[in-house]
Amino acid sequence: ILNVEQSPQSLHVQEGDSTNFTCSFPSSNFYALHWYRWETAKSPEALFVMTLNGDEKKKGRISATLNTKEGYSYLYIKGSQPEDSATYLCAFNTDKLIFGTGTRLQVFP
Amino acid sequence: DVKVTQSSRYLVKRTGEKVFLECVQDMDHENMFWYRQDPGLGLRLIYFSYDVKMKEKGDIPEGYSVSREKKERFSLILESASTNQTSMYLCASSWGTSGEQFFGPGTRLTVL
C-alpha cells in the first residue's frame, strides 16, 4: 500500500510568521505531486501540481519544492496571514491520487 | 470557473436505506472521483470513472456502487446504508490522470 505522510499534523503560528510543512511520498512510479488547500466549509482547491524533480512553484506568498529522488515536497508560507488558516493536503499521483492526512494550519492575529 | 456541485450539503438517513449522492460538473471533464473524508484519515478514494459508463474501484469500494450515464454526472450509491458510512463525501473531476482535481462542496452524511 502506497503511503503519503504529512508533518506536522497541526501548526499554530502568529500572523507574520513564516512556516513550512513536509509531504513524504514513495520515490518510485512518480507521476506528479499535488498540493491542495482546504478551508473550513469550502471545497479543497489546488495550489500546485508538480511533476519535475527540483521543481519550485510559487503563488503569492506560498511556494513549494519537489524532490522526487528522495520522495519529499515542502510547502512554504511566507508572512502567514489569518486567511491562510486551512488544512493543506498533499497527494501523490500514480494512476489516481493518494492523499496524506493533511497539515492543519491556524494563524492567529 | 469550473464548477462541481453535489446534490446535498447535509443528509441524514437510516440504517438499511438506499442512498444516492449526486455530483455534476460543468467543464466537460473526462475523469470523476468519489472520496470520503474521516477524522484522522486522508481523503480516501471510493470509486472513479475515466469515461461515461466506465467505473473503477478505488481503495475502499465495499458497500458502495456508482453510476455514470452522462459525462457530467457521477452518482455514488449506498445500497444499504450502515452507520460506518457516516462521513463527509467529496466528489471531484479533472482532465487527464495528472490534472488537478476540482472538488465539490461535500455532502456530510449521517446514518442513524
Side-chain angles (χ1 to χ4, degrees), chain A residues 66-107:
Chain A
L66 179 67
N67 183 324
T68 60
K69 293 187 192 303
E70 295 183 37
Y72 64 84
S73 175
Y74 294 135
L75 189 81
Y76 300 92
I77 303 179
K78 187 177 176 183
S80 303
Q81 299 296 310
E83 58 265 30
D84 296 328
S85 297
T87 296
Y88 291 82
L89 298 170
C90 72
F92 176 67
N93 197 164
T94 59
D95 58 340
K96 57 192 181 198
L97 291 187
I98 300 167
F99 283 86
T101 54
T103 293
R104 186 182 175 90
L105 174 67
Q106 282 192 278
V107 183

Side-chain angles (χ1 to χ4, degrees), chain A:
Chain A
I1 295 177
L2 298 175
N3 205 31
V4 177
E5 294 184 357
Q6 292 188 247
S7 62
Q9 239 180 358
S10 66
L11 204 49
H12 299 167
V13 302
Q14 288 292 127
E15 182 175 356
D17 288 350
S18 293
T19 187
N20 66 86
F21 14 98
T22 307
C23 173
S24 301
F25 53 87
S27 53
S28 57
N29 298 319
F30 178 86
Y31 287 174
L33 193 283
H34 297 223
W35 280 101
Y36 291 84
R37 174 168 59 201
W38 193 359
E39 294 178 66
T40 303
K42 294 187 178 180
S43 312
E45 287 184 343
L47 287 171
F48 307 112
V49 179
M50 308 175 78
T51 55
L52 298 175
N53 184 43
D55 209 2
E56 286 190 37
K57 295 212 170 183
K58 191 173 179 182
K59 186 183 284 190
R61 293 177 292 97
I62 304 177
S63 60
T65 61
L66 179 67
N67 183 324
T68 60
K69 293 187 192 303
E70 295 183 37
Y72 64 84
S73 175
Y74 294 135
L75 189 81
Y76 300 92
I77 303 179
K78 187 177 176 183
S80 303
Q81 299 296 310
E83 58 265 30
D84 296 328
S85 297
T87 296
Y88 291 82
L89 298 170
C90 72
F92 176 67
N93 197 164
T94 59
D95 58 340
K96 57 192 181 198
L97 291 187
I98 300 167
F99 283 86
T101 54
T103 293
R104 186 182 175 90
L105 174 67
Q106 282 192 278
V107 183
F108 294 102

Side-chain angles (χ1 to χ4, degrees), chain B residues 16-68:
Chain B
E17 279 193 78
K18 191 168 187 175
V19 182
F20 293 87
L21 302 182
E22 304 283 342
C23 175
V24 177
Q25 50 93 6
D26 66 358
M27 281 301 290
D28 203 34
H29 284 167
E30 294 167 344
N31 307 322
M32 295 189 76
F33 309 84
W34 274 106
Y35 296 92
R36 63 179 281 178
Q37 166 76 40
D38 299 290
L41 300 173
L43 287 172
R44 293 183 293 165
L45 183 63
I46 305 171
Y47 266 97
F48 59 107
S49 168
Y50 288 148
D51 203 349
V52 176
K53 298 204 187 283
M54 288 185 66
K55 58 186 179 184
E56 298 282 345
K57 291 181 180 179
D59 299 318
I60 51 164
E62 296 78 20
Y64 304 95
S65 63
V66 290
S67 171
R68 192 160 180 208

